[in-house]
Amino acid sequence: MIEYRNVSKNYGDRQVVKNLSFTIEDGQFAVLIGPSGCGKTTTLKMLNRLIQSDGGEILLDGKNVNEINAEQLRQHIGYVIQQIGLFPNMTVEQNITVVPRLLKWDKARCAKRVRELLALVDMDYDTYAKKYPNELSGGQQQRVGVLRALAAEPPVILMDEPFGALDPITRDSLQDEVKSLQKRLKKTIIFVTHDMNEAIKMADVILFMSDGELLQKASPEEMLRAPANDIVREFMGKHVAQGVSGQDNIPCKEIMRRNVAKVSSSWRTLECVQIMSSREIDSLVVVDQDDRYLGVVTIDGIKAHGKPGMPVTELLETTVPTVYTDTLAKEAFSTLDSTKSRYLVVLDKKERPVGIITRTSMSKALAYMVWGGDAV
């Protein structure tokens, strides 16, 4: 169990954390969230003493962290940051086993642990263990960063906006992986984010901070249902359903995902394969020189019919359904169901692709209808 008792931190005359008190139970996924500068990262770093508190106590399983040797403390608390921080001159295997080697694990035990961890995120040991960070995609690097934090089997893992620099598709995938790992391994995770959608998706409990104070600690459902005050309510960008009219007529533009991976019709196969690999996706939207929609190109299509140097116009697939920004969402979902497609492409009035609608969009639309606000 982790317990903060009247913890404070000052920088000169400014108090950035003010008499903070809360408890996180073993095995919980706790998310610290709030506006920039609210003190959430400082709160996180005081637990592993990267920042020293100025008052109060932080207890880890009943022991004051200030009374534990700092090096030993950090060896037993995993830490993942947005910048990833992999050592560029070390292989994936060496990066993952940094802490186990400091703890004097033998080579056989280290190698076994690396195999176990890579298997957890579907990264083949023989393919990835000897690679260097610059040979990995951003998502793969962040996966290795997470595995490094897990390597020495710490009971607690700290994660400071670990997915903030990733593209939305990779970020969504890693959120799922980390949440799944946490449930399977029963780790206690404290996760900092400024994204309420991420907090709702990941958290067992959300701790909302503002101006160095804890304004509310609640489950995602409770915080959605009953925000503690106007600050929490405004940050969440939600309002009560009764205050919103016409939600059964929301257009596609309100619930589409805007991160369209587009390429020009002048692109060729290997260029497309490279961008799909780097973004960890399996299809791209193809547009003409005026940004008008032509169709999609898929990795399966390239594998089946593509040759190096072949223009994507020779591999175009036009079976993906399209809708327009002002098409009603319920019509789009009906199309999605009837065609069994994985997604729809959303076009504006000039036939330019501006978004996609996936089956995940359905759940976001339902949330929009209930809560209002920005569903995307």
Side-chain angles (χ1 to χ4, degrees), residues 79-147:
Y79 188 45
V80 186
I81 58 176
Q82 179 175 318
Q83 294 78 12
I84 306 173
L86 298 182
F87 298 105
N89 61 328
M90 291 186 183
T91 64
V92 166
E93 183 165 38
Q94 290 167 336
N95 266 285
I96 290 174
T97 58
V98 165
V99 174
R101 284 184 282 120
L102 288 173
L103 297 174
K104 309 300 184 184
W105 288 22
D106 61 44
K107 288 183 179 180
R109 186 182 179 190
C110 285
K112 180 182 177 184
R113 184 62 174 155
V114 172
R115 287 182 181 274
E116 292 171 346
L117 291 171
L118 287 175
L120 289 176
V121 295
D122 294 321
M123 293 177 70
D124 178 66
Y125 177 89
D126 293 329
T127 302
Y128 292 102
K130 304 306 179 185
K131 286 190 174 183
Y132 288 87
N134 65 0
E135 299 177 275
L136 306 177
S137 69
Q140 289 167 343
Q141 289 182 38
Q142 196 61 279
R143 284 177 175 86
V144 174
V146 172
L147 298 183

Side-chain angles (χ1 to χ4, degrees), residues 363-375:
S363 60
K364 290 190 175 183
L366 289 173
Y368 184 98
M369 292 171 68
V370 173
W371 297 105
D374 186 0

Side-chain angles (χ1 to χ4, degrees), residues 145-186:
V146 172
L147 298 183
R148 183 173 62 184
L150 291 168
E153 302 177 332
V156 177
I157 298 171
L158 310 182
M159 307 184 81
D160 191 1
E161 301 208 48
F163 311 138
L166 300 174
D167 67 86
I169 294 175
T170 304
R171 180 175 185 169
D172 192 59
S173 173
L174 273 172
Q175 288 169 350
D176 290 338
E177 286 186 16
V178 167
K179 184 62 179 177
S180 175
L181 286 173
Q182 185 261 342
K183 285 184 174 296
R184 288 159 58 189
L185 302 176
K186 304 186 187 309

